[in-house]
Amino acid sequence: MAKPGQSSFRRVLLSRILLLSVPVLLIGEAVAFRKARSSLLETARQNLRESAIRKAESIEDAVSALRTNLLLASQTTVVQAGTAKEAEKFLTQIAAQLPSNIDCLQLTDIKSNDIVVSTCGNQPINRTTIKDWKPRLSESATVDNNNRIRIEALLPSGSAKTVTQGQNQGQTNLTNQLNLLFTAPVYDRSGNLRYALSLQTALHEVKQYPPGSLTGSMVVIAEDGTILAHPEAGKVGKNISQESDAERLQSIVKNAKAGREDFLHISFNKNGEELLAGYSAIYNPITSQPNQQWIVLAVTPLSNALFGLEEIKFILIVLTVGLIGGSLLATLYMARDLARPLEKLRDHAQNIQDHHDVDPVPHDFKIRELNQLAEALNSMVERLKSWADELETAWKEAKDANKLKSEFMATTSHELRNPLNAIINCVRLVRDGYCDHREEELDFLQRAEEAAIHLLGIINDLLDISKIEEGKLSVVLEPVNLKRVLQDVVNLQSVNVQHKGLEFNVIEPQQNIPVLADPAKLKQVLINVIGNAIKFTEQGSVTVTTNIQPITDNISSSDKLQVIIVVKDTGVGVDPAQQHKLFRPFVMVDGSTTRRFGGTGLGLAISKNLMQLMAGTITLYSAGTNQGTTVTISMPIMDASPLRSPGRGGEDRELEVKS
């Protein structure tokens, strides 16, 4: 059951992925939108700057072409003759051949100010007095086109002034175009100034461009700030100082005069829309003064420059929503694939805990790490089962050991009590004078001594077991003649064999057997083993054999030898299922047998530990109850060469070997 404040793996995974992916997508959309806007603005900057340069070049080319054509027309014979009919026909042809949009041509008599020929219809051109033209042109005089051709910028009638070379005059019915008036002097064949040939035109007509076009509308500003052309007719003739964005417009004029061709955001209307403007500069065509310039701007609304940005924004929004939806679906699918294996492993673990499920751990997942986790969990479960079995076995053994402990205490107390009672009774009989003679007293004292020695042996066994459990049991190793030790033990046990009427077969080795051992501890082991064989055999025989064999379990030491002592009896035997317990301390396989034959059950446990300390082994085998027992003792043999030397009479003499 989930605790308060906890969440499922699926929910946590889903929330974490969305928490990371959604902000990333939104930030990506914002960055992409800003990048698209910057790219569009940069494209608009370049296009408008190039468009302004092209418009400026177009104005220069048109003014130059018109000036040249007008000058050529003024020098023709037809115009100089002043014949109205022929001049009108000629001017009509000229107007059709000129490259720019010509509103009209007019030939005016200088002296009478009468119109000789005009194509202007009901709106004739108001000629201004020309003071700087020469009244007579000598044959040797040079022709200066800039001085002979007069150019005026025509402004609306409500504007402050008309920009000319020499004087100002009003003009009406003008549009938002750059309207120019060209006037050239006409000399007759005699060289006398007779007529003024005038041409009125609107240069670079502003058109309505389609959305997204970055050509831009043309704005022309004179050096003094007068607007000569503007998309809005009401702006023509006004000064930029009257505009709401006068500071930026003045900076454009300043930068253009300095030779820069750049791009700027401007606004002509107060609270009006923002415009983008690329600008360039050309020399003022209506004056001969140096460093006089016109500033030509290519202007387009900001919305036009950013045309298509809304579509990009819409596409980004759709893409973001799609990516978030796709991320959500992918996250749900991925969370399912990740959560299902974990949920299966969780359910399996809960079943093991609640129902001791023995089914195998789920596996064959599509994710390698989860398969490895399943294998690790399966291995852990197997180990836990094994440990549980071991604990159960140990618990049963502990119960058995507790039972055996009680039996051991009862047997040991009996073993201790009997010799103590014997000692007490014998001493009391001697003390109280119940013995008839000295020999009887000595007999009782002898019995008390034997009981005391038996009691001392039991106590020594208990002390040895205590040392074994504490790891303090030790031996002092030295070269020992095993043959002599074995003879001493056989001699000690022969009395017990004779007393029980058993057959005692001892096959002794013919040569000395040097081993590295503790002589007292080795004798203790042999006494325990042979003594047990005699004690637990009521009839039959006890056989002790000694053999020398090579050590075959170590290839590198195949030349070394070991001695094998086998003690075999025909006694009560041991159940094979219980044989592994015989070398444990305080363990008695059959308490009734122990009580019947006596003993504490510590001899084999002590013997095994002593043999291990002396680099030997001891094993026990029995075919079953009442089928006898075989105990095998093995020890490595020392190099025998220094322990033997030929003696007199062919007998061997022992050297440096404790016997």
Side-chain angles (χ1 to χ4, degrees):
M1 184 176 179
K3 295 181 180 180
Q6 294 182 346
S7 184
S8 66
F9 175 76
R10 294 193 185 195
R11 185 175 299 175
V12 171
L13 182 63
L14 181 62
S15 61
R16 294 296 186 273
I17 293 179
L18 291 180
L19 187 63
L20 292 175
S21 61
V22 172
V24 169
L25 289 174
L26 294 178
I27 293 173
E29 179 186 358
V31 171
F33 182 78
R34 290 177 62 87
K35 184 64 177 178
R37 190 176 189 276
S38 300
S39 299
L40 291 176
L41 287 177
E42 182 63 27
T43 302
R45 291 189 184 100
Q46 296 177 1
N47 289 345
L48 290 175
R49 187 163 54 243
E50 294 174 0
S51 178
I53 295 173
R54 288 195 302 269
K55 292 178 186 299
E57 293 175 349
S58 176
I59 293 174
E60 287 182 328
D61 294 341
V63 169
S64 177
L66 290 174
R67 178 189 288 118
T68 301
N69 289 319
L70 186 62
L71 182 61
L72 293 175
S74 67
Q75 295 175 357
T76 60
T77 304
V78 176
V79 174
Q80 290 177 354
T83 304
K85 188 174 182 179
E86 293 181 357
E88 183 177 2
K89 182 179 179 181
F90 177 75
L91 293 181
T92 303
Q93 294 176 352
I94 291 296
Q97 295 175 0
L98 291 176
S100 298
N101 184 15
I102 304 302
D103 293 336
C104 62
L105 288 170
Q106 180 176 295
L107 183 64
T108 307
D109 191 306
I110 294 293
K111 296 180 180 180
S112 63
N113 203 25
D114 294 332
I115 297 175
V116 178
V117 178
S118 177
T119 63
C120 299
N122 297 328
Q123 295 182 351
I125 299 174
N126 295 327
R127 184 188 62 78
T128 57
T129 302
I130 309 302
K131 296 181 179 180
D132 54 350
W133 284 347
K134 295 180 180 180
R136 180 176 178 80
L137 186 62
S138 62
E139 296 181 358
S140 61
T142 58
V143 178
D144 186 354
N145 293 336
N146 290 331
N147 291 330
R148 292 181 64 182
I149 303 298
R150 178 182 178 82
I151 305 175
E152 303 174 13
L154 303 179
L155 301 179
S157 58
S159 61
K161 63 180 179 178
T162 300
V163 181
T164 64
Q165 285 183 328
Q167 64 183 33
N168 299 336
Q169 70 175 22
Q171 189 70 18
T172 59
N173 300 326
L174 297 177
T175 63
N176 60 349
Q177 310 302 321
L178 177 58
N179 292 277
L180 298 179
L181 176 62
F182 293 78
T183 305
V186 179
Y187 294 90
D188 59 15
R189 294 179 181 180
S190 301
N192 297 318
L193 179 62
R194 185 176 179 182
Y195 304 107
L197 180 61
S198 301
L199 180 151
Q200 181 175 326
T201 182
L203 295 180
H204 200 87
E205 182 179 359
V206 178
K207 301 178 181 179
Q208 294 296 328
Y209 297 102
S213 174
L214 296 178
T215 303
S217 302
M218 185 181 72
V219 175
V220 180
I221 303 175
E223 188 173 359
D224 61 355
T226 302
I227 300 175
L228 304 179
H230 195 279
E232 299 179 14
K235 298 292 184 180
V236 178
K238 293 184 178 180
N239 196 283
I240 57 175
S241 61
Q242 302 174 1
E243 301 297 329
S244 59
D245 206 359
E247 184 177 353
R248 289 192 181 185
L249 292 172
Q250 290 171 355
S251 68
I252 289 177
V253 174
K254 181 179 179 181
N255 293 336
K257 288 173 63 178
R260 298 177 186 173
E261 296 174 347
D262 208 344
F263 171 94
L264 201 64
H265 292 249
I266 61 174
S267 176
F268 280 96
N269 297 327
K270 189 175 183 180
N271 300 324
E273 64 176 339
E274 186 176 1
L275 302 175
L276 304 181
Y279 57 87
S280 181
I282 60 174
Y283 288 107
N284 190 343
I286 66 176
T287 180
S288 59
Q289 297 179 6
N291 300 326
Q292 295 293 313
Q293 293 178 325
W294 281 358
I295 292 82
V296 180
L297 289 80
V299 178
T300 190
L302 180 62
S303 59
N304 199 30
L306 298 179
F307 183 79
L309 186 62
E310 290 299 322
E311 294 182 0
I312 295 176
K313 183 178 180 181
F314 176 76
I315 292 173
L316 288 176
I317 293 174
V318 172
L319 182 61
T320 302
V321 173
L323 288 176
I324 292 176
S327 176
L328 179 61
L329 293 177
T331 302
L332 290 173
Y333 183 77
M334 182 171 59
R336 183 192 65 179
D337 285 350
L338 289 176
R340 276 185 177 178
L342 294 178
E343 291 169 355
K344 288 182 179 179
L345 294 176
R346 177 203 62 193
D347 296 339
H348 180 79
Q350 290 178 346
N351 289 334
I352 293 176
Q353 179 181 358
D354 299 336
H355 308 292
H356 304 286
D357 189 8
V358 295
D359 293 336
V361 178
H363 61 285
D364 294 336
F365 301 122
K366 297 180 180 179
I367 303 175
R368 179 179 57 190
E369 287 76 7
L370 292 179
N371 285 328
Q372 293 173 350
L373 177 61
E375 292 176 0
L377 181 60
N378 190 32
S379 177
M380 182 184 67
V381 170
E382 294 298 329
R383 288 198 301 270
L384 290 176
K385 290 180 180 178
S386 176
W387 293 342
D389 294 339
E390 291 178 2
L391 287 175
E392 186 175 0
T393 302
W395 179 71
K396 291 180 180 179
E397 290 181 354
K399 289 179 64 178
D400 295 340
N402 188 40
K403 180 180 178 182
L404 292 174
K405 177 183 176 183
S406 300
E407 294 180 357
F408 172 80
M409 293 300 297
T411 303
T412 304
S413 62
H414 175 74
E415 291 292 326
L416 293 174
R417 188 165 53 246
N418 287 341
L420 283 175
N421 288 333
I423 294 171
I424 293 172
N425 291 333
C426 290
V427 171
R428 284 180 178 176
L429 288 174
V430 174
R431 183 196 63 185
D432 295 339
Y434 289 106
C435 297
D436 295 333
H437 46 77
R438 180 63 180 171
E439 288 77 5
E440 188 176 3
E441 290 179 353
L442 293 176
D443 182 53
F444 281 123
L445 292 176
Q446 179 66 31
R447 293 180 183 178
E449 181 184 9
E450 292 175 354
I453 292 173
H454 178 68
L455 182 60
L456 180 61
I458 295 174
I459 294 173
N460 286 335
D461 287 345
L462 292 174
L463 292 175
D464 287 343
I465 286 296
S466 176
K467 290 180 180 179
I468 290 173
E469 290 183 342
E470 295 178 1
K472 296 181 179 180
L473 183 65
S474 62
V475 295
V476 180
L477 300 179
E478 57 184 69
V480 177
N481 186 357
L482 179 61
K483 178 180 179 182
R484 184 62 57 84
V485 176
L486 185 59
Q487 288 175 349
D488 293 342
V489 174
V490 169
N491 292 334
L492 288 175
Q493 297 295 334
S494 60
V495 177
N496 294 331
V497 173
Q498 293 175 1
H499 182 266
K500 296 188 70 172
L502 301 176
E503 182 181 352
F504 195 30
N505 302 317
V506 179
I507 303 175
E508 297 181 355
Q510 296 181 358
Q511 70 273 19
N512 294 331
I513 303 176
V515 295
L516 193 63
D518 188 320
K521 301 299 183 183
L522 180 58
K523 182 179 289 186
Q524 180 181 351
V525 172
L526 294 174
I527 290 174
N528 281 334
V529 173
I530 297 176
N532 283 342
I534 296 172
K535 181 171 61 174
F536 292 104
T537 303
E538 295 182 345
Q539 59 182 4
S541 63
V542 175
T543 302
V544 180
T545 59
T546 305
N547 297 315
I548 297 177
Q549 299 177 358
I551 300 176
T552 59
D553 59 344
N554 191 341
I555 298 176
S556 63
S557 304
S558 59
D559 57 336
K560 297 203 178 277
L561 301 176
Q562 63 179 346
V563 58
I564 305 296
I565 303 172
V566 179
V567 179
K568 184 176 182 181
D569 63 66
T570 59
V572 296
V574 182
D575 184 1
Q578 303 293 328
Q579 291 178 17
H580 66 284
K581 301 179 181 180
L582 290 175
F583 292 101
R584 297 180 184 178
F586 309 110
V587 175
M588 299 179 183
V589 175
D590 189 350
S592 61
T593 302
T594 304
R595 287 191 296 270
R596 176 183 171 189
F597 293 98
T600 60
L602 300 177
L604 289 178
I606 296 173
S607 299
K608 182 178 181 180
N609 282 274
L610 291 175
M611 291 307 302
Q612 289 177 348
L613 293 174
M614 293 184 289
T617 61
I618 180 172
T619 59
L620 181 145
Y621 171 76
S622 176
T625 305
N626 298 323
Q627 297 187 36
T629 305
T630 301
V631 178
T632 303
I633 300 174
S634 65
M635 294 185 67
I637 298 177
M638 295 178 58
D639 187 5
S641 57
L643 298 178
R644 301 179 61 198
S645 62
R648 295 181 180 180
E651 296 181 355
D652 295 336
R653 183 167 61 88
E654 301 170 6
L655 298 176
E656 300 181 0
V657 178
K658 274 190 172 290
S659 58

